[in-house]
Amino acid sequence: MTVNLNHTIVAAHDSHASARFLADILGLRVSPEYGPFVPVALPNGVTLDYMESAGEIPPQHYAFLVSEDDFDEIFGRVRNAGLDYWADPHHSRPGEINTNDGGRGTYFDDPNGHILEILTRPYGSGG
């Protein structure tokens, strides 16, 4: 059996600005609108479909597995944008990256309070 995640909806106060934020940080493109969605396609075929949402948005966590070189580029964009970042999802280690499983990882928030993570090794992969 083959099961792959195809897309997920990401709630946003401003779907265009939120999609642009993610695309700019990750070095991707915003795809054309599809109905009420502003998609950002990931290289593995999954799309994050941003959709306008009124009121409070419960924060979600989105983790992106990247290469070591991509980590350097993305982390550079995080820092150049002046974003706060943490070594952990609880925001208790500010201004740090982690070295879990022999890789590197860091967390930062998007404009809606979603917790974004870039990591170079999947958790539990050792190292």
Side-chain angles (χ1 to χ4, degrees):
M1 177 170 60
T2 301
V3 178
N4 294 299
L5 180 64
N6 177 263
H7 68 276
T8 191
I9 297 171
V10 181
H13 293 297
D14 181 332
S15 57
H16 291 277
S18 296
R20 171 64 40 220
F21 172 86
L22 181 70
D24 288 348
I25 289 293
L26 295 182
L28 302 172
R29 293 178 339 133
V30 175
S31 299
E33 286 183 58
Y34 182 77
F37 306 112
V38 181
V40 176
L42 304 179
N44 65 351
V46 174
T47 62
L48 299 180
D49 296 338
Y50 284 86
M51 185 173 83
E52 301 271 332
S53 180
E56 184 179 343
I57 295 175
Q60 298 294 313
H61 173 71
Y62 300 95
F64 303 94
L65 183 63
V66 300
S67 71
E68 289 288 341
D69 290 340
D70 288 338
F71 184 94
D72 290 336
E73 290 179 22
I74 296 166
F75 186 56
R77 288 191 285 271
V78 167
R79 293 181 66 180
N80 287 341
L83 299 174
D84 293 329
Y85 59 92
W86 298 266
D88 66 302
H90 306 292
H91 297 170
S92 65
R93 295 175 51 201
E96 297 181 35
I97 64 171
N98 67 57
T99 56
N100 298 337
D101 290 297
R104 295 182 292 162
T106 196
Y107 299 78
F108 54 98
D109 293 344
D110 88 342
N112 302 288
H114 297 305
I115 302 165
L116 306 181
E117 175 185 11
I118 54 171
L119 67 160
T120 61
R121 297 284 304 264
Y123 290 119
S125 65

